[in-house]
Every structure is written in C-alpha cells, then in structure tokens.
C-alpha cells in the first residue's frame, strides 16, 4: 500500500456497488417471502419490555417484517420510547436508534420502516466507500471482489435488517477513508459516531492512532494533531456514558449490563478452545459459528503480512474483544455477526482470489449458501444474532 495514496472518486464504484446492493436486496426479499414454513418457527421468542413480538407473516407481507427479529426489536423499542434503567437497553449504543427516530419523523412515525431505510441506505453508502478505499489501497479488481464477498458473507443480511451493522460499517470505513486522505477532522467525527453506534467502535481510536504514527514516520507530518483526532474517537462512548450519568445516575450501565447478557471476561484463546470443543460435541450452532469465524480469523492471520498495520490493528482488536467475552454455553454466539464488519479480512480474501490462490467461484458459492441458511434461520427466530 502506498504511503499517501491518491484517492479515487467515490462515484467511480457507485454503479457496481448499486448492482451488488440490489442483488442482495432482491435475494433477501425472496428469502423473506419464502422462509416462513421452510423450517419450524422457534417457540421461545425473546421478550423485550415495551415492544410486542411481531407475528410471523408470509408472502408479500413479510418483505420487511421478516427481519424484525432478535436485537432489532431492542433498537425499535429504544427509537420509539428511549432507554430505561435495568431492562437491558443500555447495551445498545444510541446512534442507530437516534438515526431511526429522526427518519421516522418523515415516514409517519413508523420505526420499522425508518430503521430499514437507515440500514439499507447506510449499507449502500458503506459499499461505495469501501470500494473507493479498496481501490485506493489495492486495485479496482480487489475492490470489486471485496465488495462482493462482504455482501455475500453468511451474516450480511444483518446489513439490511433493522440492525446497526450497516451504519457502523459506513462510519468505520469512512473514518479510515478520511484518515488515509489526511482529513483528520472528518476522520475524528465519523470515528466518534461509529464508537457511539456499537461498543466495539472504540477500537477505531487505537487503529487511527497507529495510522497517525505511520503517517508521521513515512512523511514527517505533524503527529499531535493527527493523534489528537484519533483519540477524539473516544468521545463517542464517553458521551453515551455521560448520558447515563445525567439521566439515570448510572454511567457504567452500558458495561455492567453485559452480566445480564450472560457474558464474562476470559482469555480469547480459551474462547476458541471452548468453541472448538462445542463444535465437535454439539455441532449445530457451534459448528456454524466456528466455520464462519474461522474464515475471518484465518484471513486476519494472513493479513498480518499483507495489510497496512492500522487495518490489521482494527481487524484484530475487533475480533479479540468479543472473543474475550464469550456467551456461556455457546462461546461464539454473535461473533459471526461481529465479523461481517471486519472489512480488512475481505481484502485478504480478495487478494488471495486475485492471485489465484483462492477460487473465486468457491468463495461466492460457499458464502451465498451460508447466507441463505443463516437468513432462513434468523427469520424463523432461531438463534442467529
């Protein structure tokens, strides 16, 4: 990767990204209409205080309601009536619910429609920025494959559901896009918004700090303004903690609530060991989790020798943090979803494919098959979240 690459235009990849987006959107519409009845619906649906569990609808009625599942209900509840102390809502960071609430003002107060519009628009934007960043760092061929692989990843349907993944990806990729173009004020702004979208977004701060150090070493530019912009990312989660202090006199609620979600801190290698044991003994969910996470883990290992250090730093921290807080009884629960925003891993897969070391058709086929399976499970309330 070049030291100070000349940035391509964002519009250069828009047509290709729009095609990928529309292809995925149509595929998810088709799965949404057909998924009801393919497998039994799980009976023990979650209970979210203040928000009714949506009924299972088939046919055309399921086009959007099919993805109102699991954590999406929390985001919709928060967007509609805000946070409440002691109910678990503190675990969900505020930027996505706030964006949903704002958009709902223009769509007749319909939070599900608003959240779907936010997530879908953000995903298209994320693909466009990712395409440009990949082209700048690698090549246009890499950009086309990286965008396609990310869109077909088994958990990519979360980008189109009322979840925060798409908005987080857009903000995260944009932070690196601005930092690599030496626009550190913009990088700080979108970075702190990303860190206010998901708790894991805090890792953008040290990753950007690594980039600031690299630019200082490579080009001799002033370090302190760039390092200061990187550190400013922490204002995102700090603002959220400050809100909980002012509103509920409980600033640590967003972190303390992890105990309510049955997560406890362990060493990441212990989590992987438990995941392998569970996959061997239980198969089912545990095996699916391990296969998906294993792809990203191996890609990041290969990326240590290929990626610019700031990108590797972001990828590894983003993976090691959830591996340090496994779910009891299912070590990798939710980690396949967390992996879908680790765009440097998709760069590695694209590079291996470009070099002929990874069959492109095999990647597309395996990812698409996994995507169909995971989407059907998710729609029928099985534990893919």
């Amino acid at each position: 990767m070049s030291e100070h690459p000349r940035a391509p235009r964002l519009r250069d990849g828009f047509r290709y990204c729009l095609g990928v987006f529309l292809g995925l959107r149509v595929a998810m519409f088709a799965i949404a209409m057909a998924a009801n009845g393919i497998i039994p619906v799980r009976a023990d649906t979650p209970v979210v205080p203040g928000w009714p569990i949506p009924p299972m609808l088939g046919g055309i009625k399921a086009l959007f309601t099919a993805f109102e599942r699991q954590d999406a209900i929390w985001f919709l509840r928060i967007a509609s009536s805000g946070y409440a102390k002691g109910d678990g809502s503190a675990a969900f960071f505020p930027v996505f619910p706030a964006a949903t609430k704002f958009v709902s003002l223009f769509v007749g107060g319909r939070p599900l429609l608003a959240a779907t519009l936010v997530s879908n628009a953000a995903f298209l934007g994320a693909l466009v920025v990712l395409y440009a960043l990949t082209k700048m760092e690698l090549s246009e061929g890499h950009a086309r494959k990286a965008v396609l692989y990310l869109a077909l990843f088994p958990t990519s349907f979360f980008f189109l559901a009322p979840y925060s993944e798409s908005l987080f990806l857009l903000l995260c990729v944009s932070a690196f896009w601005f930092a690599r173009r030496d626009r550190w004020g913009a990088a700080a702004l979108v970075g702190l918004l990303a860190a206010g979208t998901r708790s894991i977004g805090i890792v953008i701060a040290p990753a950007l700090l690594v980039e600031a150090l690299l630019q200082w070493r490579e080009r001799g530019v002033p370090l302190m303004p760039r390092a200061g912009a990187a550190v400013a990312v922490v204002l995102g989660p700090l603002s959220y903690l400050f809100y909980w202090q002012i509103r509920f006199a409980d600033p640590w609620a967003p972190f303390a609530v992890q105990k309510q979600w049955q997560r406890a801190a362990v060493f990441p290698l212990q989590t992987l060991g438990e995941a392998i044991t569970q996959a061997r003994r239980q198969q089912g969910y545990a095996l699916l989790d391990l296969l998906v996470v294993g792809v990203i883990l191996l890609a990041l290992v290969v990326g240590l020798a290929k990626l610019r250090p700031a990108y590797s730093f972001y990828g590894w921290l983003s993976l090691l943090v959830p591996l340090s807080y496994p779910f009891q009884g299912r070590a990798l629960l939710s980690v396949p979803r967390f992996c879908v925003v680790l765009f440097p891993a998709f760069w590695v897969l694209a590079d291996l494919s470009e070099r002929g070391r990874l069959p492109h058709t095999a990647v597309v086929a395996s990812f698409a098959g996994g995507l169909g399976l995971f989407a059907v499970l998710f729609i029928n309330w099985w534990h893919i979240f």
Side-chain angles (χ1 to χ4, degrees):
M1 299 180 184
S2 58
E3 295 179 356
H4 190 196
R6 181 178 179 181
R9 299 172 299 180
L10 286 175
R11 66 175 181 267
D12 290 346
F14 179 79
R15 181 177 297 182
Y16 176 79
C17 292
L18 179 61
V20 171
F21 167 80
L22 290 176
L24 180 62
R25 181 67 274 181
V26 170
M28 290 302 102
F29 276 148
I31 290 176
M33 294 176 64
N36 187 11
I38 292 180
I39 60 175
V41 178
R42 190 174 182 89
D44 56 335
T45 54
V47 176
V48 176
W51 195 266
I53 298 301
M56 286 290 298
L57 299 175
I60 196 169
K61 294 180 180 179
L63 288 182
F64 291 102
T65 60
F67 291 95
E68 188 183 357
R69 300 289 184 266
Q70 309 296 358
D71 289 355
I73 302 171
W74 280 104
F75 286 120
L76 296 174
R77 205 299 304 276
I78 294 167
S80 298
S81 56
Y83 291 96
K85 187 174 182 179
D87 68 348
S89 60
F92 301 90
F93 275 45
V95 173
F96 181 73
T100 296
K101 186 174 183 64
F102 176 75
V103 173
S104 69
L105 299 175
F106 302 94
V107 293
R110 298 179 177 88
L112 176 59
L113 175 58
T116 303
L117 289 173
V118 170
S119 61
N120 282 243
F123 182 49
L124 176 57
L127 292 181
V128 171
V129 180
L130 177 61
Y131 187 101
L133 182 62
T134 310
K135 182 179 178 181
M136 182 175 72
E137 299 285 20
L138 298 167
S139 73
E140 188 159 12
H142 287 82
R144 295 174 72 88
K145 287 184 176 178
V147 163
L148 180 62
Y149 293 169
L150 183 142
L152 292 177
F153 193 68
T155 52
S156 68
F157 63 87
F158 283 109
F159 289 131
L160 304 181
Y163 269 68
S164 62
E165 263 62 31
S166 54
L167 184 58
F168 176 79
L169 179 64
L170 172 60
L171 294 168
C172 179
V173 175
S174 296
F176 285 100
W177 166 256
F178 287 124
R180 288 292 282 144
R181 296 170 64 211
D182 210 23
R183 297 177 58 184
W184 282 90
L189 177 60
V190 296
L192 71 86
L193 287 173
T197 303
R198 285 179 54 191
S199 58
I200 195 64
I202 191 66
V203 306
I204 296 174
L208 290 183
L209 184 58
V210 170
E211 177 59 31
L213 289 167
L214 288 171
Q215 292 184 15
W216 169 67
R217 187 182 67 181
E218 293 167 349
R219 307 201 314 274
V221 296
L223 173 61
M224 292 310 297
R226 292 162 177 80
V231 174
V233 169
V234 304
L235 293 176
L238 285 178
S239 298
Y240 185 47
L241 299 182
F242 183 70
Y243 163 81
W244 273 88
Q245 170 61 30
I246 296 299
R247 181 71 174 80
F248 300 105
D250 188 7
W252 303 113
F255 299 106
V257 75
Q258 295 302 321
K259 295 180 180 179
Q260 182 174 329
W261 296 94
Q262 301 179 50
R263 294 183 184 274
V266 302
F267 192 62
L269 286 179
Q270 180 181 336
T271 300
L272 288 176
E274 292 177 0
I276 293 171
T277 299
Q278 291 168 4
R280 187 177 67 252
R281 293 178 178 175
Q282 303 171 11
Q283 299 186 5
Y285 285 133
L287 181 58
L288 291 175
D289 290 343
L290 185 61
L291 289 173
V292 173
V293 175
V295 170
I296 299 300
L297 179 62
L298 291 175
L300 291 176
V301 169
V302 175
L304 287 171
K306 295 179 176 293
L307 296 170
R308 188 171 177 84
Y311 296 122
S312 279
F313 209 76
Y314 162 72
W316 276 104
L317 280 181
S318 297
L319 185 58
L320 290 176
V321 170
L323 288 179
S324 299
Y325 292 90
F327 185 82
Q328 297 178 16
R330 183 177 166 190
L332 298 181
L333 177 68
S334 297
V335 181
R337 172 167 62 92
F338 300 153
C339 285
V340 76
V341 298
L342 304 189
F343 66 91
F346 296 97
W347 283 358
V348 175
L349 297 176
D351 184 65
L352 292 173
S353 179
E354 283 287 287
R355 296 174 182 272
R357 297 177 182 177
L358 189 65
H360 173 70
T361 303
V363 176
V364 169
S366 58
F367 277 14
L371 174 59
L373 172 62
F374 275 54
V376 168
L377 289 169
F378 178 79
I379 290 170
N380 287 282
W381 286 104
W382 292 87
H383 291 166
I384 304 294
F385 56 85

